[in-house]
Amino acid sequence: MGHYKSNVRDIEFNLFEVLGVGKLLDEGHYGEMDASMARAMLQEAARLAEGPIAESFASADRHPVSFDSETHEIVLTKSLRRSVMALKSSGWSLLGLPEAIGGQRAPMAMVWAVREMLYVANPAVSFYDMGPAMAGVLFDLGTPQQQHWAARSQELGWAATMVLTEPDAGSDVGAGRTKATDQGDGTWHIEGVKRFISGGDVGDTAENLFHLVLARPEGAGLGTKGLSLFFVPKYHFDPVTLELGERNGVYVTGVEDKMGIKSSPTCEVSFGTNGSPAVGWLVGDKHNGIAQMFKVLENARMMVGVKAAGTLSTAYLSALDYAKERIQGADLTRATDSAAPRVPITRHPEVRRMLLTQKAYTEGLRSLYMFTAVYQDPTPTLAYGLSGADPTLARSVNDFLLPVVKGFGSERGYDTLKLSLQTLGGSGYLQDYPFEQYIRDTLIDTLYEGTTPIQAQDFFFRKIIRDHGRAFEHVLTLVEDFATFAHPDDSLLGERQLLAIATTEVRDMAKALAGYLVVAQTEPSEIYKVGAGSVRFLYAVGDLLVAWRLLVQADVACGALHKDNVSEEDASFYRGKIAVASFFAKNVLPELNATRAILAALDNDVMTIEESEF
Ligand code: ST9
């Protein structure tokens, strides 16, 4: 039995019972796929994830990929290669992508749930399979010829990367110096060195690989707006058949030695520095690089949040199994009686608190990313049916939720993994169990694709202020309506009242930060308060939304329990939903009151302390 434990029951609960996607599936909104086919597909993805993909999880960590500096290629171990090929040949990564490139229509909540299972089972493996996602973006943005390349490249199993970061341009992408020179024949020469490129080479798991690269055309302006997006293949190819030709002048020149996801090849990639030019093509024939790259980044940021939620899920299920079996200590009521029988650690209050916290964030974060996916769905009926959002508003709601899914999700996922490990005590620290690797593999989620402070600033400045609070209001009104409207079942009334109070507190936090921003028009240093408060604010919104999604699930569970013929297994599942929602509302929501007070009283001390005083 491998390390990975999927939770198809919870995914199906969200998809069919909470979001009501089954009806749309059966009405034919997703082509051939109906609800029973979707259920069968989820089971199949879980089998693949738990089996061949998960198989090399630990060995890929203990025996990372190596780099051959002669060939400039990475070399995989046999077991890692088997997992990569199992993922690639399954074709699952094409789910939800355009049919023209071999994809299949599917509800986006299901697409992300499938990705949760496949990528969490072995995160390092997923970086060898970014071809379909990148081809999807190239197909959306590219010229007709590039669309042909996007489609054909996926028949051929080509890999792909996203290339932004440079040694001196990390969060500040606009500082990038890689330059592009127009050759006047439709091609460009790219010159520069890029760093931290995931999947920069994939060894012998794909015959070719293309990079989507941000570079600055000669004469273009400074900052992100001066960047353009280029398609740069590892090997040249025939533009019609895609038969391979000469090597292009793009080479991996180093592979990073990392704390986690050790077999994900994180490469330094040099363009045009090895004596031959790195030839590229302008994506879509348009100089609109940063906006085009954000099509990739939005998907990748979502993926990171999904990965964080999914890793916590498998960790929680393993910690739970362990806790049920592990006999240690006496029940606290008989703690002073040395003759008292020893009990499973699930009898200890703090272990229960830790397990409920893990369950809450696991199921809350999953429900939140699946809710977010509704606003990415190709069928506008879904978002409209759920919250009355038209396609324009749906786009804003998705934008608004992404930093929560990525920034808050990755931080809470990482923090809560420590409780999974702690459930096992000292044993959790051993490599006999997967927890220490989960922790090392997950910390990166708070860093790549935009660090947490970047997510928090994006959330406040762009997703709330620049959006004039439209998506913020839409989502908070949904939460408020849920908290305050009369429910047929009153059993969670107190918890809904806590939710209503927390919603008001989040509104107050937003007002406090917006207030600093207004004053900053005349006193510029006031903006530092927004900078110093934005991460706390992001976390507060995240906790509010997790509480809301848990209470929505509990509401559905209450209804389900009143139906006839509920099996004992289902009844436990539903009662668990109610218990965890209640636990989270009572144990976490009151903390928002302190955050509100802190944000309302922010001063600029963090900025006035001298560097020598740190
Ligand atoms: C990296 C790779 O870390 C790691 C790989 C992880 C991969 C994980 C998943 C792997 C598998 C799958 C991959 C795909 C998944 C499946 C997909 C399936 C389909 N939203 O505010 P301004 C745009 S890579 C949208 O002035 P600055 C917008 O066009 C490295 N657009 O910013 C805007 O213009 P306008 C990751 C946005 O001050 C323009 O940018 N690196 C957004 O110039 C300028 O905006 C990073 O993530 C947005 N949220 O630049 C960089 N924001 O205003 C982090 C901006 O006219 N740094 N735009 O609309 C930042 O994000 C910075 O804030 C900055 C600042 C660069 C945007």
Side-chain angles (χ1 to χ4, degrees), residues 430-478:
L430 305 180
Q431 292 206 329
D432 301 6
Y433 294 94
F435 302 94
E436 64 82 31
Q437 189 181 337
Y438 290 151
I439 287 177
R440 285 185 291 108
D441 284 359
T442 299
L443 184 54
I444 185 64
D445 297 335
T446 67
L447 302 168
Y448 59 17
E449 295 302 343
T451 59
T452 306
I454 291 282
Q455 300 300 324
Q457 293 198 16
D458 178 60
F459 183 58
F460 183 73
F461 289 114
R462 189 177 187 91
K463 306 304 176 55
I464 297 183
I465 299 296
R466 212 175 107 155
D467 186 49
H468 304 293
R470 230 162 58 97
F472 176 74
E473 263 312 308
H474 181 76
V475 173
L476 258 71
T477 304
L478 290 177

Side-chain angles (χ1 to χ4, degrees), residues 1-12 41-51 54 113-121 309-318 320-321 362-363 366 369 438 573:
M1 183 74 186
H3 79 100
Y4 180 63
K5 294 181 198 309
S6 61
N7 194 343
V8 175
R9 177 69 180 94
D10 196 45
I11 289 169
E12 289 191 342
M41 288 169 79
L42 288 168
Q43 293 291 351
E44 188 47 41
R47 257 194 301 278
L48 182 70
E50 290 180 355
V114 166
R115 290 181 184 156
E116 176 196 321
M117 294 188 278
L118 299 177
Y119 294 165
V120 167
T311 306
L312 182 60
S313 177
T314 182
Y316 160 60
L317 294 176
S318 292
L320 179 62
D321 281 353
T362 294
E363 296 176 13
R366 177 180 289 123
Y369 88 63
Y438 290 151
F573 177 85

Side-chain angles (χ1 to χ4, degrees), residues 371 375 386-389 393 397 400-401 464 467-487 496 499-507 510 541 544-545 548-549 552:
F371 176 79
Y375 295 87
L386 202 67
S387 75
L393 181 56
V397 172
F400 168 75
L401 291 172
I464 297 183
D467 186 49
H468 304 293
R470 230 162 58 97
F472 176 74
E473 263 312 308
H474 181 76
V475 173
L476 258 71
T477 304
L478 290 177
V479 180
E480 240 156 25
D481 287 351
F482 173 83
T484 50
F485 91 88
H487 287 242
R496 284 204 305 279
L499 186 70
I501 294 167
T503 314
T504 308
E505 282 164 344
V506 162
R507 280 192 196 287
V541 175
L544 176 77
L545 297 183
W548 170 52
R549 295 318 297 165
V552 168

Side-chain angles (χ1 to χ4, degrees), residues 327-342:
I327 309 290
Q328 202 78 176
D331 188 280
L332 201 53
T333 54
R334 300 187 61 188
T336 53
D337 176 1
S338 52
R342 307 292 98 180

